[in-house]
Amino acid sequence: MKQTPLLPILLASAALNAQAVPAPMEVTAHESATIWTQGYGVGNGRLGALSYGEFPKEILVLNEESIFAKSSIVPREGAAEGLKEARELCARGDYKKADETFRSKVLSNKSSSGSYQQGGLLDVQWQDLPPSTSFSRKLDMKHGKAQMDVHFADGALKTELVAAPYSDCIAYRMACSLPKGCTVTLSLRHPDKKSEITPTRDGWILKGQGHNGGTRFENAVRVQAIEGRVSLDGGILRIDNCKELLVLSSTKTDYNSRKPDSPLKNDLGTLNRNILDAASRAGWKKLEQETAKYFSERMMRCQVDIGDTPAETAQKTTPERLQLVRQGGKDPDLIEQLFQFGRYCIIANTRPGALPCGLQGLWNPDLNAAWKGCFFLNINCQMNQWPADVTGLGEYHRPFLEFVVSLQPTGEKFARFLKLDGFCFAHNVDCWKETYYVGNVPEYSASLMNGAWACAHLMDSYRFTGDKAFLKKSIPILESNARFIMSWFQKDGKGRYISGPGTSPENIFRVQDETGKKINLSVSNGCSHDLLLGRESLRNYIAACRELGINTPVLAKALQFLPHIPQPAIGEDGRIREWQKPFEEVQKGHRHISHLYGLFPGNEWDVLNTPEYAAAVKKSVDYRRSFTGKSGICTGWSTAWLINMYATLGCGNDAEERIYTQLKKYISPNLFDMHPPYQIDGNFGMTSGLAQCLIQSQIEQQGYRVIMLAPALADSWTEGSATGLHARGGLTVDLSWKDGGIKATAKASRPGKFRFMHRGRKKDVVMKAGESINISF
């Protein structure tokens, strides 16, 4: 198409007219949080704290990212031979025997990951307070603060909680304006009986270690009674006539991210003391301001406005508004707040140089977290990354990318053990970075494609950032994974390369055994999920080599190998087939839709270049969505995945319906996404899904990076705007829409060719670094 000229003189007349006017970045309640999954969490990316408890008691859960029990990895000898046997059995159609072989000769029931564990519980208890006249709680996402406000006839009580990012400590302040102040007691505890808690003159020192020889840690808690009378009795601090107090907590561990099996030798007590001394000198005001500046700068990078909620609804608390949604009401401002909560969780739960965000982020009050709170890599940890780049938080994607790169040594050790080339890992890992099969249930444990899925982020991040230095750092693991693919995928007798044996993650199929009895199994060769990731792994390696101008023997082999990995089949019913064979589905609405990876988050298929596959994906997600109850999609994170799928297909009304389904069924009063139980990935997935409704940049066509502007607006979003969205190719985009028309301003951080599209219309432009243009349809 002939290039459309867009003169700089148009900037003034066509510029985006209005900034987004989003809902307040707040979560509110008028009731206590009686369980921790209703509490409000804060974090600085390394330290986390969450406040809950039934007033007049408040409990602070104190967490640090690296406190893990030690994993127990016991490889099964002969696993390589077991894999080969299971593959041959699948090729012969003996899936029952293949499943049995995988269980008995490949998986190890002695292997388990280490659980993410807590770092202490601080109990705060008020005594002899007068009757309250009002009670409220608020999570201020814009400023990174949780607070509680209680009013009485003759005064008030207020608590505030932050995780200071640079001072690197938890700070909790209480202020009381009752005439005589109040009486408050504080105590520190830990559920592990082996932990040691030593009272000091102004707090406690908690020393502990993750189970099974895990992370050694020390949590120092310091209490400053700025106004009040302090006494200590049996480890309980009591402050009478208290008008103001400040509690500071610092937790340090011996975790060594570079060499997890070689703990650091630092004096944890000295490290904590230095942090608390500096925080004490700074005082509450500076700690609060430091946190507020850090969060507001990042939260304000991206704002969305999809419509206005009536004032009488917008003034209600978050639980009240959720209840109205469950009764059938619409609340666009609440959707905006849920979107921003996902972004808040990104900032709170990881940071550059830290570990990536796990299954429940930093917030965990237990010694045995749900699913051990570690890094699940068959969707969950990857979903945690989906909204980072597009919503202006790309630096928070980097911890996951660094973590993936750091898994190469253990991933190559695992592959060698299986007598395969390159690097791979299985279902999940923890901070110890062992990548072996965990557990003995194939439907969860058997896939070896999770390394390919994780590596895909390395290349996709590059498409946003253009950071060639990090891409160069990533080439060794991209090449190693390509080598794995080309050793794992083997000829099937039809000139094709297919994987196996493995599973379509966490799903099962039904076949007849030799007696005619129907049985449920999971192990087969060449499932669609594997084919898509195998193709993507080689495509990404090839693209990375071209970007860096390098040529290797592995590249030459990948170019020859790739065309022989088949695309997944489209079944007779028009849906993407999940397995090579047309097996009977057991859970027709299964939560995992990994066989549709090629549309999202992958880029094998799209609505422009492969419309037949896009149509087959649409039939597939409609089918999954049609089932409810135990046989249907019944988790918050899988609902979020469907939001992204429908958005990518351009189906705004369907995406909106899934957003409201998530709000109705899976969002807790504090906006936590519930699997159930709590899983943070659904929060990130929803944020990504709404962003995907507003901008898409995964498609390339005729040498152009396609920028879809507002590709999936729901009919009810008649007017709105978004600022600070990011696109692959290095663009930052602001846009607004009204009555079917759309305006956008795009700024390029590097040169590129872009095809802007909206509802089938397109405008092609070539941009220089630093150039801004305006687009309207």
Side-chain angles (χ1 to χ4, degrees):
M1 180 180 177
K2 184 179 179 181
Q3 181 175 318
T4 302
L6 292 163
L7 300 176
I9 196 170
L10 295 177
L11 282 172
S13 61
L16 183 66
N17 196 8
Q19 289 283 330
V21 184
M25 297 180 187
E26 296 177 350
V27 188
T28 60
H30 286 327
E31 303 83 22
S32 296
T34 56
I35 55 176
W36 81 272
T37 49
Q38 295 177 353
Y40 293 155
V42 300
N44 69 6
R46 185 183 77 84
L47 296 174
L50 183 140
S51 165
Y52 78 106
E54 190 160 5
F55 187 77
K57 183 175 184 178
E58 190 169 15
I59 303 169
L60 302 186
V61 182
L62 303 174
N63 292 114
E64 197 277 344
E65 62 165 357
S66 65
I67 302 176
F68 274 82
K70 194 72 169 66
S71 55
S72 177
I73 304 298
V74 184
R76 183 182 286 278
E77 293 301 322
E81 290 72 25
L83 273 179
K84 183 178 179 181
E85 181 181 342
R87 182 186 184 97
E88 292 171 351
L89 288 164
C90 288
R92 295 202 301 265
D94 192 347
Y95 299 105
K96 179 181 178 182
K97 183 64 175 176
D99 197 280
E100 292 170 353
T101 299
F102 211 105
R103 292 173 188 268
S104 62
K105 296 185 179 182
V106 180
L107 299 180
S108 171
N109 58 10
K110 296 180 180 180
S111 291
S112 63
S113 298
S115 180
Y116 177 54
Q117 300 186 325
Q118 60 135 296
L121 297 168
L122 181 69
D123 292 320
V124 183
Q125 179 82 51
W126 290 272
Q127 299 175 9
D128 303 323
L129 290 173
S132 63
T133 57
S134 69
F135 175 94
S136 65
R137 294 185 298 127
K138 180 171 73 173
L139 176 65
D140 180 350
M141 296 182 278
K142 182 178 177 181
H143 299 107
K145 181 169 69 173
Q147 67 186 61
M148 177 181 70
D149 291 275
V150 188
H151 288 86
F152 311 96
D154 55 350
L157 185 151
K158 183 186 191 73
T159 69
E160 300 168 278
L161 177 67
V162 300
Y166 303 118
S167 299
D168 205 17
C169 67
I170 301 298
Y172 171 82
R173 174 181 179 262
M174 186 214 78
C176 179
S177 62
L178 288 169
K180 295 183 179 180
C182 62
T183 297
V184 58
T185 61
L186 302 98
S187 59
L188 187 67
R189 57 188 167 96
H190 195 278
D192 187 352
K193 295 180 180 179
K194 294 182 180 180
S195 63
E196 299 177 6
I197 301 177
T198 304
T200 65
R201 61 182 179 82
D202 57 0
W204 307 267
I205 302 294
L206 165 59
K207 295 182 179 181
Q209 185 172 20
H211 290 172
N212 195 32
T215 317
R216 184 173 61 89
F217 69 93
E218 182 171 316
N219 181 1
V221 179
R222 184 179 296 180
V223 181
Q224 300 175 1
I226 297 170
E227 188 174 350
R229 189 173 67 254
V230 182
S231 59
L232 178 65
D233 183 14
I236 298 176
L237 267 174
R238 178 186 175 104
I239 306 173
D240 292 300
N241 306 116
C242 185
K243 291 292 186 76
E244 184 179 359
L245 67 82
L246 176 63
V247 181
L248 302 172
S249 169
S250 174
T251 303
K252 285 292 187 178
T253 78
D254 68 352
Y255 177 66
N256 184 349
S257 62
R258 293 181 180 271
K259 294 183 178 180
D261 284 332
S262 300
L264 299 173
K265 304 298 183 183
N266 296 333
D267 183 332
L268 304 183
T270 298
L271 293 174
N272 281 331
R273 186 163 54 252
N274 291 341
I275 287 173
L276 294 185
D277 285 348
S280 295
R281 290 191 296 270
W284 166 255
K285 203 65 182 174
K286 288 186 178 179
L287 296 173
E288 179 192 34
Q289 290 172 348
E290 166 192 320
T291 307
K293 183 178 179 181
Y294 180 86
F295 273 85
S296 62
E297 190 277 326
R298 289 154 178 81
M299 291 296 294
M300 294 299 286
R301 289 179 189 173
C302 177
Q303 299 182 72
V304 299
D305 176 20
I306 59 170
D308 294 325
T309 295
E312 62 271 19
T313 298
Q315 292 169 2
K316 295 182 182 295
T317 64
T318 305
E320 291 169 337
R321 292 168 68 173
L322 282 168
Q323 186 58 36
L324 290 174
V325 167
R326 293 181 184 117
Q327 294 169 2
K330 287 199 171 186
D331 192 337
D333 284 355
L334 184 59
I335 292 176
E336 295 165 23
Q337 289 170 326
L338 187 60
F339 170 88
Q340 293 293 3
F341 184 71
R343 297 185 67 247
Y344 170 79
C345 287
I346 293 173
I347 302 167
N349 283 276
T350 190
R351 67 186 188 190
L355 285 169
C357 181
L359 209 60
Q360 292 182 327
L362 288 173
W363 302 309
N364 168 42
D366 302 316
L367 291 180
N368 293 297
W371 298 287
K372 302 196 173 183
C374 54
F375 310 108
F376 282 74
L377 293 157
N378 65 358
I379 175 61
N380 312 99
C381 208
Q382 286 91 333
M383 186 181 283
N384 291 357
Q385 319 308 317
W386 289 355
D389 287 295
V390 70
T391 69
L393 298 173
E395 69 266 41
Y396 293 88
H397 197 171
R398 184 59 69 90
F400 178 73
L401 306 179
E402 298 277 7
F403 185 73
V404 171
V405 169
S406 76
L407 293 174
Q408 184 174 347
T410 55
E412 291 183 340
K413 174 184 172 184
F414 182 26
R416 287 194 303 271
F417 181 79
L418 297 176
K419 298 183 180 178
L420 297 166
D421 193 14
F423 136 95
C424 65
F425 49 77
H427 181 219
N428 65 69
V429 297
D430 52 28
C431 75
W432 312 107
K433 303 185 180 181
E434 289 290 341
T435 59
Y436 192 75
Y437 293 117
V438 173
N440 64 343
V441 180
E443 67 186 84
Y444 300 99
S445 306
S447 176
L448 288 177
M449 299 303 295
N450 304 298
W453 193 332
C455 281
H457 283 250
L458 299 169
M459 195 61 198
D460 201 45
S461 173
Y462 171 76
R463 295 183 183 108
F464 279 96
T465 66
D467 186 346
K468 287 197 173 183
F470 190 76
L471 183 62
K472 188 175 182 180
K473 180 179 178 180
S474 304
I475 272 287
I477 195 170
L478 290 171
E479 181 174 296
S480 186
N481 190 243
R483 297 201 326 267
F484 167 75
I485 295 299
M486 292 185 288
S487 67
W488 179 234
F489 282 59
Q490 299 176 22
K491 287 185 176 180
D492 68 346
K494 299 179 182 179
R496 306 177 307 177
Y497 288 107
I498 65 171
S499 64
T503 61
S504 188
E506 303 192 24
N507 208 352
I508 54 178
F509 55 84
R510 183 171 289 145
V511 297
Q512 288 186 343
D513 65 10
E514 64 278 3
T515 69
K517 179 183 177 182
K518 288 189 174 183
I519 53 175
N520 296 338
L521 302 170
S522 57
V523 175
S524 69
N525 292 338
C527 63
S528 295
H529 160 267
D530 288 12
L531 300 178
L532 290 163
L533 282 162
R535 289 178 59 85
E536 182 178 62
S537 175
L538 298 188
R539 286 192 295 109
N540 280 342
Y541 175 62
I542 292 166
C545 288
R546 287 173 175 166
E547 286 292 314
L548 296 174
I550 61 177
N551 195 7
T552 69
V554 177
L555 173 62
K557 184 178 179 181
L559 287 166
Q560 293 178 342
F561 201 100
L562 175 59
H564 298 286
I565 301 178
Q567 287 276 10
I570 297 176
E572 292 182 358
D573 60 0
R575 293 186 291 136
I576 303 292
R577 213 158 65 196
E578 188 157 358
W579 298 276
Q580 276 277 303
K581 302 293 184 181
F583 295 133
E584 179 186 348
E585 297 161 285
V586 177
Q587 285 184 267
K588 300 184 187 303
H590 194 269
R591 61 193 177 276
H592 280 259
I593 49 175
S594 306
H595 61 306
L596 310 180
Y597 177 92
L599 185 85
F600 187 92
N603 61 2
E604 182 79 34
W605 308 323
D606 62 67
V607 296
L608 298 181
N609 298 308
T610 56
E612 70 283 5
Y613 272 99
V617 170
K618 176 66 163 57
K619 285 192 175 183
S620 300
V621 292
D622 285 347
Y623 183 82
R624 285 279 167 97
R625 170 186 169 191
S626 68
F627 291 91
T628 58
K630 291 184 179 180
S631 65
I633 287 178
C634 53
T635 69
W637 63 263
S638 57
T639 301
W641 199 349
L642 285 189
I643 297 168
N644 285 272
M645 283 291 187
Y646 279 120
T648 307
L649 289 165
C651 303
N653 289 334
D654 293 304
E656 183 194 42
E657 186 275 334
R658 287 291 92 185
I659 292 172
Y660 278 112
T661 295
Q662 190 177 21
L663 282 167
K664 290 174 184 177
K665 294 185 176 182
Y666 305 115
I667 297 300
S668 190
N670 62 351
L671 297 188
F672 275 6
D673 173 82
M674 306 300 284
H675 179 284
Y678 166 51
Q679 279 190 204
I680 201 170
D681 46 6
N683 288 115
F684 295 132
M686 181 274 161
T687 299
S688 167
L690 184 56
Q692 192 76 350
C693 290
L694 303 178
I695 193 168
Q696 293 175 25
S697 60
Q698 67 272 20
I699 301 174
E700 291 182 271
Q701 189 181 52
Q702 299 173 335
Y704 290 88
R705 170 66 61 185
V706 177
I707 309 298
M708 297 277 203
L709 299 175
L713 297 180
D715 289 344
S716 63
W717 304 347
T718 56
E719 181 179 0
S721 60
T723 58
L725 295 171
H726 286 239
R728 294 165 185 84
L731 294 185
T732 303
V733 179
D734 297 344
L735 59 89
S736 65
W737 66 90
K738 183 177 182 181
D739 300 330
I742 187 165
K743 295 180 180 180
T745 299
K747 183 175 181 178
S749 63
R750 59 186 190 271
K753 295 174 63 179
F754 301 98
R755 174 166 290 171
F756 292 90
M757 297 189 68
H758 178 67
R759 296 183 177 179
R761 293 169 289 175
K762 60 185 178 182
K763 294 182 181 180
D764 293 344
V765 299
V766 178
M767 297 181 67
K768 300 176 182 178
E771 183 180 1
S772 293
I773 63 167
N774 294 308
I775 300 284
S776 62
F777 290 102

